[in-house]
Amino acid sequence: MKRFEKPYVHYSYPNFLDDASFKKLTTAYDHLQFFEKESDLFHFFQTNELDTEPSLAFLKKKLNAVFEQLCDMKDTFYNIFASMYFKGDYLLCHDDVVDDRKYAFILYLADHPSADLVLYDETATKEAKRIKVKKNHLYLGIIHKT
């Protein structure tokens, strides 16, 4: 796992899952139920909370190992959702500051040459970093509350 300081502390974890676990994840993903989500900031499809999904217990265990490196896991929980984007779907610039959230993470299941993860500066007006979407790559950002 590689740590970056700019534009804010975030981590990059390529090849997050071994081949067998990645196959299990994509197989589970193919059987999930997605619901349309829409507002002025986004349009895409998302699952309900997957924290207790039995077919994803191995993923939660792997994520726990990462989070344990970064913080005390006592009294800590996290939410897991799967999202699906079709041509024309979007998620506009936003921060991930929500309630008591400490981290935001994303795990990509496929390479997408036309899609990027874009990180903005603290004003959210200037692009600070552009990251290519890569299969089996976990990105994790530290949420700073002001």
Side-chain angles (χ1 to χ4, degrees):
M1 184 165 50
K2 186 171 181 181
R3 179 184 167 115
F4 298 89
E5 300 295 325
K6 304 272 181 185
Y8 52 82
V9 176
H10 61 286
Y11 297 86
S12 172
Y13 198 137
N15 301 310
F16 179 64
L17 297 172
D18 62 60
D19 291 342
S21 295
F22 189 78
K23 177 72 174 156
K24 277 174 60 174
L25 178 58
T26 57
T27 299
Y29 182 86
D30 289 342
H31 294 92
L32 297 174
Q33 186 174 10
F34 289 82
F35 304 95
E36 187 174 22
K37 306 281 282 186
E38 185 172 19
S39 82
D40 58 338
L41 292 175
F42 55 81
H43 182 270
F44 58 92
F45 293 80
Q46 188 175 60
T47 64
N48 287 325
E49 169 64 45
L50 297 174
D51 181 45
T52 59
E53 173 62 39
S55 66
L56 297 176
F58 72 96
L59 176 61
K60 188 168 181 179
K61 183 176 180 180
K62 179 76 173 181
L63 288 168
N64 284 347
V66 170
F67 294 139
E68 285 172 355
Q69 293 176 34
L70 303 174
C71 69
D72 179 7
M73 288 294 289
K74 183 181 177 188
D75 299 324
T76 299
F77 72 94
Y78 54 89
N79 302 107
I80 303 173
F81 298 91
S83 299
M84 184 181 306
Y85 292 79
F86 295 99
K87 186 175 182 173
D89 287 346
Y90 58 92
L91 176 59
L92 296 179
C93 180
H94 65 282
D95 66 34
D96 285 316
V97 178
V98 177
D99 300 325
D100 292 327
R101 184 179 291 169
K102 293 181 181 182
Y103 305 99
F105 65 92
I106 187 166
L107 174 61
Y108 290 107
L109 301 186
D111 293 336
H112 289 284
S114 64
D116 295 326
L117 173 61
V118 180
L119 306 180
Y120 288 85
D121 68 1
E122 64 281 349
T123 67
T125 59
K126 182 179 174 195
E127 183 178 313
K129 185 174 187 178
R130 184 172 289 263
I131 302 167
K132 290 310 249 178
V133 172
K134 296 289 185 189
K135 175 177 122 178
N136 195 18
H137 206 123
L138 177 75
Y139 295 99
L140 183 141
I142 308 293
I143 306 301
H144 294 283
K145 293 195 174 196
T146 54

